[in-house]
Amino acid sequence: MYDIQKIREDFPILSRTVYGRPLIYLDNGATTQKPRCVVDAIADEYYSVNANVHRGVHFLSQQATELHEASRETVRRFLNARSTNEIIFTRGTTESINLLAASFGEACMKEGDEVILSVMEHHSNIVPWQLLRDRRGIVIRVIPMNDRGELLLDEYERLFTPRTRLVAVTHVSNVLGTVNPVREMTATAHAHGVPVLVDGAQSVPHMPVDVQALDADFYAFSGHKVYGPTGVGVLYGKEEWLDRLPPYQGGGEMIQHVSFERTTFNELPYKFEAGTPDYIGTHALARALDYVSAIGMSEIDAYEHELTTYATARLKEIEGMRIFGEADAKGSVISFLVGDIHHFDLGTLLDRLGIALRTGHHCAQPLMERLGIEGTVRASFSFYNTREEVDALVAGIERVRKMF
Ligand code: PLP
């Protein structure tokens, strides 16, 4: 049973006020709020188990290591990966993509080789490839989209050449909400012998994700967007790929033996995890995944879909409303502009009513250029948001509109 009031009680921040008004938090695409169990897990581990992992013979170190590795198993189960060797802990989606660009770029890409991205990528899935382009002379090709915000799959297929080495595409757009058909896109890439990296920053928090069913070769997400702590994230990679790729950073943990002449590297997944990991963060991330799993990812998906459909209909009642992104398959994100009110003004005035939204280019400037705009206001919903909050958003926008 989906008991929204009970769920909201798990998130203490949702009952605070801002400017004397109840907080209406609709910036979940940027980061999500934390349930008590996640924050408690952080405090509990620091108070009672804290010790560095993988290195101590002593009791605490072993217990901390067990918790850290159990968290890896929780992530494995959550994504339905085959093995914990396929779960690399990182700082977040950004680091996961940079890891892959550095490592895959080093091993598999030389001058003139090509990577296919989409026009709706977040900067974190553009700039690492541009850095690689500057270092190695690779070529970036871009999948276009239609005006509804759907990728053009025929054009996508035409981008493949004998020099294509990788497809890197977002599962869900953080601006348009488009849910890209990554399973189909992966099948196309595989038919050309090309592996696929999926940016799951905006999908993992909102829908069931099964990396085996998607057949993605690499999949990245951030803990803080899925109700976990900041500073921890995941790169999933098929073991056969990760085995072939060189380490990303050097240091402790990732080695087997070091001499000044030669170093041998540790086995998976540690080969990619140099230095002390954020073992407190991984434990808290696992609690967050347990939390959303207990509600059910399908239930979350269904609830948010219904809420977003309701919000879309209500927002469309507003005169001058322009919504960007009307794909058939759409997640819980609505980007919009109203008349000629600047997005920053609209966001700032709504903030004074206690409504937290994101404004600007949303780290997707090439997409803004495609849309011919500078920025939007974005409402991004979570399973803890309500219809009453949507109504308050609509009333707030009406109020601002009348002021203009
Ligand atoms: N990719 C997408 C689609 C995103 O929405 C974001 C964050 O907004 C990122 C990547 C980057 O995530 P992080 O800043 O947690 O590394």
Side-chain angles (χ1 to χ4, degrees):
M1 285 298 285
Y2 202 96
D3 185 344
I4 184 84
Q5 281 319 321
K6 193 162 169 298
I7 285 172
R8 286 179 69 86
E9 281 164 21
D10 292 335
F11 294 80
I13 205 169
L14 297 180
S15 56
R16 70 161 287 175
T17 56
V18 289
Y19 309 114
R21 290 166 177 275
L23 168 69
I24 296 180
Y25 186 77
L26 302 178
D27 194 17
N28 296 286
T31 198
T32 49
Q33 300 304 343
K34 316 305 167 197
R36 204 181 289 279
C37 63
V38 167
V39 181
D40 287 350
I42 294 169
D44 289 349
E45 192 171 351
Y46 273 123
Y47 283 141
S48 60
V49 192
N50 182 48
N52 208 330
V53 292
H54 298 141
R55 348 191 140 167
V57 288
H58 59 82
F59 181 87
L60 276 190
S61 175
Q62 287 175 18
Q63 207 174 25
T65 304
E66 274 165 27
L67 279 178
H68 179 60
E69 291 307 324
S71 305
R72 201 187 299 277
E73 166 58 19
T74 302
V75 176
R76 184 207 65 73
R77 212 176 329 115
F78 192 77
L79 294 178
N80 191 32
R82 277 181 202 84
S83 150
T84 48
N85 289 347
E86 301 183 317
I87 305 299
I88 314 292
F89 285 122
T90 64
R91 282 195 302 118
T93 308
T94 302
E95 190 178 45
S96 297
I97 298 173
N98 276 276
L99 185 166
L100 194 74
S103 178
F104 187 92
E106 170 75 25
C108 306
M109 298 192 85
K110 48 187 190 302
E111 193 176 343
D113 284 345
E114 297 165 10
V115 58
I116 297 178
L117 312 178
S118 90
V119 67
M120 64 179 76
E121 297 311 310
H122 187 279
H123 294 163
S124 62
N125 195 27
I126 299 175
V127 183
W129 306 108
Q130 289 175 327
L131 294 175
L132 190 61
R133 179 174 69 188
D134 296 344
R135 283 203 305 274
R136 294 232 140 186
I138 69 156
V139 176
I140 296 171
R141 295 184 166 267
V142 181
I143 315 166
M145 67 177 199
N146 63 22
D147 290 340
R148 294 166 57 77
E150 293 161 327
L151 293 180
L152 300 175
L153 297 184
D154 291 348
E155 301 283 333
Y156 165 59
E157 176 113 43
R158 276 197 280 278
L159 291 177
F160 285 88
T161 76
R163 300 301 299 269
T164 310
R165 295 288 173 265
L166 185 76
V167 172
V169 69
T170 192
H171 197 162
V172 174
S173 163
N174 64 314
V175 178
L176 307 165
T178 310
V179 183
N180 289 315
V182 288
R183 186 176 181 167
E184 198 180 330
M185 293 174 76
T186 300
T188 304
H190 287 173
H192 288 86
V194 174
V196 177
L197 159 68
V198 177
D199 172 351
Q202 298 292 345
S203 45
V204 162
H206 302 289
M207 60 180 71
V209 169
D210 179 332
V211 288
Q212 291 192 65
L214 291 174
D215 204 20
D217 302 274
F218 306 99
Y219 200 98
F221 74 92
S222 299
H224 71 97
K225 291 189 198 283
V226 61
Y227 309 94
T230 53
V232 63
V234 169
L235 176 67
Y236 156 84
K238 283 183 183 166
E239 195 161 355
E240 59 265 34
W241 270 112
L242 295 179
D243 264 336
R244 286 173 54 188
L245 297 182
Y248 169 50
Q249 294 179 328
E253 296 270 337
M254 52 76 74
I255 54 90
Q256 222 155 38
H257 182 262
V258 179
S259 72
F260 278 109
E261 288 69 42
R262 188 166 170 269
T263 290
T264 50
F265 302 125
N266 206 341
E267 57 202 18
L268 288 176
Y270 312 109
K271 182 172 85 173
F272 291 102
E273 295 179 351
T276 299
D278 181 3
Y279 53 85
I280 305 278
T282 58
H283 174 55
L285 171 61
R287 295 292 72 77
L289 298 182
D290 287 342
Y291 181 86
V292 290
S293 300
I295 299 174
M297 291 312 296
S298 298
E299 284 71 14
I300 287 174
D301 193 9
Y303 178 85
E304 291 180 355
H305 181 74
E306 203 212 292
L307 188 66
T308 310
T309 306
Y310 175 74
T312 305
R314 292 270 5 244
L315 287 169
K316 281 184 171 174
E317 292 167 8
I318 297 169
E319 201 182 307
M321 172 62 61
R322 273 195 298 162
I323 290 178
F324 298 89
E326 300 213 70
D328 279 342
K330 188 169 164 173
S332 56
V333 173
I334 306 178
S335 277
F336 59 89
L337 288 171
V338 181
D340 51 13
I341 307 173
H342 194 276
H343 51 84
F344 181 76
D345 293 337
L346 185 52
T348 306
L349 290 166
L350 288 167
D351 172 55
R352 303 302 296 196
L353 301 175
I355 306 172
L357 299 152
R358 180 89 184 262
T359 68
H361 55 63
H362 314 295
C363 299
Q365 283 180 319
L367 175 61
M368 293 300 129
E369 199 175 308
R370 163 64 179 81
L371 295 169
I373 54 176
E374 237 185 67
T376 71
V377 180
R378 181 185 73 181
S380 49
F381 302 100
S382 158
F383 57 76
Y384 48 56
N385 290 124
T386 64
R387 284 188 173 219
E388 290 70 34
E389 289 179 316
V390 170
D391 293 340
L393 169 66
V394 172
I397 297 171
E398 284 293 13
R399 194 165 150 183
V400 173
R401 202 178 61 81
K402 287 190 182 115
M403 282 169 59
F404 277 75

